[in-house]
Amino acid sequence: MSMKQPKTSTFLRFDWPYHFVTLPLALVLLVCSVLLLIRTARADGDDGLALLVVGFALALVFALMRMRRYATKTQDRIVRIEEQFRHYRLTGRQLDERLSVRQIIALRNAGDEEFPALCEQAVEESLEPAAIRERISQWRDDTMRI
């Protein structure tokens, strides 16, 4: 655990096979299929196959976006449960229900010594995640979240 938030720390992480290979290829497929549909329509050809390709490309892009959303929501739930348990372990009390998931995700970077107090401050002052991170003096990296 480092004492301060790293200067180069970013809270946006990329899964390179998804963000830089799969999703771009699906978007290229969608654009190419739309161009094929336009070219087929201009040539007065049979639009059926081109429409089918566009439909499959749209379905692929939609499915990829939904899968990413489901994975992110699952990570959010896991972080919430982990931090709920950590708060209970440190204080013997449940985490305040008024904390939003975004606040809890920001609080996960706080060290054990300051975590309970920061939880109370986040609720009482309605702190945004960035403000919570600024108040963290004992930084805990979360290298598992993507």
Side-chain angles (χ1 to χ4, degrees), residues 10 57 75 95 122:
T10 177
Q75 286 181 357
L95 200 57

Side-chain angles (χ1 to χ4, degrees), residues 16 27 34 38 50 62 89 92 94 105 122-123 126 131 140 143-144:
W16 74 265
L27 293 173
V34 169
I38 292 169
F62 181 74
R89 181 177 49 84
Q94 293 272 334
I105 290 170
V123 169
S126 299
R140 271 180 9 140
T143 57
M144 301 293 286

Side-chain angles (χ1 to χ4, degrees), residues 1 81-95 108 110-113 115-116 140:
M1 174 173 27
I81 291 167
E82 287 174 341
E83 298 311 307
Q84 178 74 262
F85 178 69
R86 181 164 76 131
H87 190 270
Y88 185 80
R89 181 177 49 84
L90 293 171
T91 66
R93 297 185 326 258
Q94 293 272 334
L95 200 57
R108 81 187 186 282
D112 285 348
E113 297 80 21
F115 178 68
R140 271 180 9 140

